[in-house]
Amino acid sequence: MSIKQKKKTSSNLSKPTLADKLLVPTEGEKVKQKKALPTNINKEGTKSLRDVSVASVLNDTTGLVAMVAISCAYSFYIYQIHENTLWFSNIKEVEREISFRTESGLYYSYYKQLVHSPSLWKGLQDLTEDTLTEHPDTINILARMNIYQEVILAFIYRTLQLKVPPIMFYIYCGFGLQALLVSSLYIMAWLLSGSWLAGLLSAAFYLFNKWDTSRVQNSLPLRESFSLPFLWIQAAALTVYFRSGSSKVSQQFSLAASAIGTFFFCLFWQFNQFVMMLQAFALFGVWVLGCVPPYKVRNVMLCQLGSLLGVCLLQFGNKMIPSSLAVSFILVTLALLSFQKQAAKTHSVTYHLLRVAGLSFLALTLMVVLSTCIKILLNVDADEHIFKFFMNKISLEETR
């Protein structure tokens, strides 16, 4: 092959063919492809995020539907137990009232008195000057007993002018509150575990152990039937409030819900101060151990203190509340929170143990001293029998 033929062959090989021209993109097409590539990736990424959000919404919706279903089922279930036991909706009015035994009938009588009174205000005045409960003495029922749930239900019944009998409205509201209790328990378990299946399981356990967890199906007018749902509302709200990753808005909302739950729990049950004292002990412990920021403990304790003092005012200055150990311990803890700083984590274990022991001893000592001083100032000795009973149980004091 000559030199000229070799040059022609090499030039022909170097020239692009028609297929090459069709397959190789131009500069403009390359730019378009570069621009289109991120768009496709973004579309795929958006699609995957959208799938995740849709799955999350479906999961939360399923959990909420399950919560409503099991809460309503529990409320109807205990109502049906009450109905099957007493045949409540088919007996006479007087027989329904007789079914409320011991103090249950007493509490319902105040509700009935408010409903049938010429006006709600007149009914409240009669309760503040009651001559029937401890005849011939005149007592203030609103100050002596926790019956504000009857006042609220009577107000709602008179305002709505319902056609159902007053006693049926009374039990419907009582059993309806139990649905709120189960919902709060469900939400709290859901938040702690991250799965609504845990909420379903906890609600199921509560339902299966109904004879050990509640007396509402047998004695609806008892104070605990109206107050415990609000205690669980407070617990669920505090679960949100104490979470480390919660936003400021959720913290404010949960703290407000906790304050409302605490107030109504204290308002509806005469044993509120003992539960508040146990909660205050727990809050003090998590603060001393450094598990929860001090400002959160302070806010919750302020809600407790405000609720107790608010109930004291609504009960016409009930001296039992400010002289209780719960109020004294909360005041002592708030004072320690103001003066004590959070211990650094760099300290030794021995230092932390000594700090916990020292602060605990100091708080308990100041609690007893402050409570004693308040009782002396207010001249309160109505709860001395509780301490005598406790001392007798641990064999430190004779009964006589």
Side-chain angles (χ1 to χ4, degrees):
M1 185 181 291
S2 63
I3 298 174
K4 290 182 179 181
Q5 289 176 345
K6 288 181 179 180
K7 288 182 178 180
K8 285 182 180 180
T9 304
S10 60
S11 62
N12 291 334
L13 291 173
S14 62
K15 289 181 180 180
T17 61
L18 180 61
D20 295 334
K21 290 181 179 179
L22 294 174
L23 294 175
V24 177
T26 62
E27 293 297 329
E29 290 175 345
K30 289 180 180 179
V31 174
K32 289 181 180 179
Q33 287 179 359
K34 289 180 180 179
K35 291 182 178 179
L37 184 59
T39 306
N40 294 334
I41 293 175
N42 289 337
K43 286 182 179 179
E44 292 176 359
T46 305
K47 187 176 180 181
S48 62
L49 290 175
R50 189 177 301 168
D51 292 340
V52 172
S53 62
V54 170
S56 178
V57 170
L58 288 176
N59 179 68
D60 293 344
T61 303
T62 305
L64 291 175
V65 170
M67 179 192 72
V68 173
I70 195 170
S71 300
C72 294
Y74 176 76
S75 178
F76 179 76
Y77 177 57
I78 56 176
Y79 165 76
Q80 200 62 45
I81 292 176
H82 181 264
E83 176 67 21
N84 294 343
T85 304
L86 300 173
W87 213 30
F88 198 79
S89 61
N90 295 281
I91 57 179
K92 297 179 181 179
E93 186 77 10
V94 65
E95 293 174 329
R96 294 172 181 170
E97 295 176 358
I98 292 174
S99 67
F100 294 147
R101 302 173 183 175
T102 62
E103 70 268 28
S104 298
L106 182 65
Y107 296 137
Y108 174 76
S109 68
Y110 300 135
Y111 165 78
K112 181 181 178 181
Q113 181 178 343
L114 290 170
V115 169
H116 294 290
S117 180
S119 66
L120 185 64
W121 180 251
K122 180 63 170 59
L124 291 174
Q125 286 182 329
D126 293 339
L127 289 180
T128 56
E129 299 175 355
D130 181 79
T131 57
L132 298 176
T133 304
E134 296 184 4
H135 184 77
D137 297 333
T138 300
I139 62 172
N140 186 345
I141 299 297
L142 294 176
R144 182 72 65 86
M145 303 180 187
N146 296 70
I147 63 163
Y148 273 96
Q149 48 267 61
E150 278 74 24
V151 175
I152 295 173
L153 291 179
F155 171 76
I156 295 174
Y157 184 84
R158 295 176 67 106
T159 303
L160 298 180
Q161 298 181 353
L162 301 173
K163 300 299 182 181
V164 297
I167 194 169
M168 298 304 296
F169 174 75
Y170 185 80
I171 67 166
Y172 289 157
C173 291
F175 289 125
L177 278 176
Q178 307 313 306
L180 196 62
L181 184 153
V182 175
S183 297
S184 302
L185 179 63
Y186 184 103
I187 291 174
M188 185 175 64
W190 187 355
L191 291 172
L192 291 174
S193 65
S195 172
W196 59 267
L197 293 175
L200 189 65
L201 189 62
S202 62
F205 282 154
Y206 187 85
L207 190 151
F208 295 150
N209 295 277
K210 61 184 180 301
W211 300 111
D212 299 321
T213 56
S214 176
R215 296 185 292 175
V216 65
Q217 62 271 7
N218 297 323
S219 304
L220 175 66
L222 292 179
R223 305 298 83 187
E224 64 205 54
S225 302
F226 294 92
S227 62
L228 287 181
F230 293 98
L231 179 65
W232 285 106
I233 289 175
Q234 182 220 33
L238 290 180
T239 303
V240 178
Y241 184 67
F242 285 139
R243 295 181 74 176
S244 58
S246 57
S247 63
K248 187 176 181 180
V249 176
S250 64
Q251 287 187 14
Q252 293 175 348
F253 178 79
S254 59
L255 185 62
S258 171
I260 294 172
T262 305
F263 174 74
F264 282 107
F265 168 74
C266 295
L267 184 64
F268 291 164
W269 202 13
Q270 67 270 27
F271 298 125
N272 55 64
Q273 52 185 286
F274 302 107
V275 178
M276 290 296 103
M277 185 172 65
L278 292 176
Q279 284 193 356
F281 285 164
L283 290 170
F284 178 84
V286 295
W287 164 63
V288 173
L289 294 173
C291 301
V292 176
Y295 77 93
K296 288 190 175 183
V297 176
R298 183 185 300 109
N299 291 339
V300 176
M301 283 197 164
L302 286 174
C303 291
Q304 291 180 333
L305 183 62
S307 299
L308 289 170
L309 295 180
V311 172
C312 176
L313 293 176
L314 288 175
Q315 290 189 321
F316 297 84
N318 189 346
K319 295 181 180 180
M320 292 286 291
I321 296 177
S323 62
S324 64
L325 291 176
V327 171
S328 299
F329 187 79
I330 291 173
L331 290 174
V332 168
T333 305
L334 289 174
L336 292 176
L337 281 167
S338 301
F339 293 106
Q340 281 285 326
K341 295 182 179 180
Q342 190 74 10
K345 296 183 179 180
T346 55
H347 290 296
S348 63
V349 177
T350 305
Y351 171 82
H352 286 287
L353 290 175
L354 292 175
R355 182 174 181 271
V356 170
L359 287 176
S360 300
F361 178 78
L362 179 62
L364 292 175
T365 304
L366 292 177
M367 175 192 70
V368 174
V369 172
L370 181 60
S371 178
T372 304
C373 294
I374 294 175
K375 287 179 180 179
I376 293 174
L377 290 174
L378 298 179
N379 192 22
V380 175
D381 58 356
D383 59 346
E384 290 297 325
H385 64 285
I386 299 176
F387 295 99
K388 290 182 179 179
F389 176 79
F390 175 74
M391 298 298 288
N392 177 257
K393 281 296 181 182
I394 59 177
S395 301
L396 293 179
E397 184 175 317
E398 296 294 334
T399 55
R400 296 180 181 178

